[in-house]
Amino acid sequence: KSLVDAGGNSYPIGIWVNDWATGHLTARVAGIVIKEKLGYNVELKGPGPLALDGFFALTGCTSPTDKTDRGCGGDGDRLTDVHINVEVWTSTYQLAWEELKLKYPDKAPSNLGNMGYYGATALYVPSGVQERAYDAEGINLDFYRDYNSSRENPGRHFANPGDVNVSYLLPCNETALMLNEVMSNYLDLTGDLEGVSGTAPDLT
């Protein structure tokens, strides 16, 4: 089976793929279930490196991964070819989510609820690094006060910036660091004016 538009044209159910491991996994699992249990044709779309890209894809924007022009204007009657995104971080991009609802009330995506598990993102120090630091100097790297550089030198237990393989890095304009919402949160939490460019509300 396929979906059918008002003109009688058939098309598959489109599932957006988020470009990280669980994003690929959950999209493929959903595709298998929809195809084998419900009998619908399925096509995977994307992938997109940010959860935010999926918001625009679901809205029907023609270039959802283009941060300079998502392609949301134009044909007001155009149907989206992306219908499902099964791993969506709405709380991370809450302002963008609400803005889509205001701009495109008839096409903006809806959150249909929890898919069975919750995810979280955070910084962490690997347990092996913590153990070596404690054995060597009695430093607790899971305790913020032991990062006091006037008393300790916790940096010796981490790689130097020069050790980073730059081939793994992306230009800022290809990352979430170009999103005002993300960088505003960073500034609110850290007060690091040197870590952002521009002034509110246009921060990168």
Side-chain angles (χ1 to χ4, degrees):
K1 293 187 292 186
S2 293
L3 302 177
V4 180
D5 64 18
N9 302 304
S10 62
Y11 56 99
I13 291 176
I15 300 179
W16 185 256
V17 180
N18 299 307
D19 200 11
W20 53 84
T22 56
H24 283 268
L25 175 63
T26 53
R28 281 163 173 74
V29 169
I32 291 170
V33 172
I34 292 170
K35 187 173 183 178
E36 296 187 0
K37 295 299 183 180
L38 301 180
Y40 280 94
N41 293 319
V42 172
E43 185 174 333
L44 299 180
K45 302 288 187 177
L50 299 176
L52 185 64
D53 300 333
F55 299 178
F56 290 99
L58 289 165
T59 303
C61 303
T62 56
S63 49
T65 60
D66 185 342
K67 296 169 188 60
T68 59
D69 182 6
R70 303 280 186 174
C72 300
D75 187 358
D77 297 325
R78 181 183 178 279
L79 294 175
T80 180
D81 56 5
V82 177
H83 312 98
I84 298 171
N85 188 356
V86 289
E87 187 177 333
V88 182
W89 297 75
T90 51
S91 60
T92 304
Y93 303 103
Q94 190 64 41
L95 292 179
W97 179 264
E98 297 299 335
E99 187 176 354
L100 280 174
K101 295 281 190 183
L102 291 173
K103 284 187 175 180
Y104 311 102
D106 297 330
K107 293 185 177 182
S110 296
N111 188 341
L112 301 182
N114 179 13
M115 65 178 290
Y117 66 89
Y118 291 98
T121 60
L123 298 175
Y124 71 96
V125 178
S127 58
V129 175
Q130 294 184 42
E131 291 169 4
R132 287 193 295 272
Y134 186 77
D135 290 343
E137 302 177 74
I139 296 176
N140 289 300
L141 294 181
D142 59 349
F143 184 52
Y144 75 97
R145 288 190 173 181
D146 275 2
Y147 286 85
N148 185 341
S149 60
S150 67
R151 296 191 303 105
E152 311 284 357
N153 182 18
R156 75 181 68 190
H157 300 288
F158 298 90
N160 293 314
D163 296 332
V164 175
N165 185 341
V166 295
S167 68
Y168 293 140
L169 304 180
L170 292 172
C172 287
N173 62 0
E174 295 180 21
T175 73
L177 298 180
M178 291 301 291
L179 300 174
N180 173 66
E181 184 174 353
V182 173
M183 297 313 294
S184 292
N185 288 339
Y186 170 81
L187 181 59
D188 289 342
L189 291 170
T190 67
D192 179 17
L193 290 171
E194 295 184 358
V196 297
S197 297
T199 55
D202 298 313
L203 296 173
T204 56

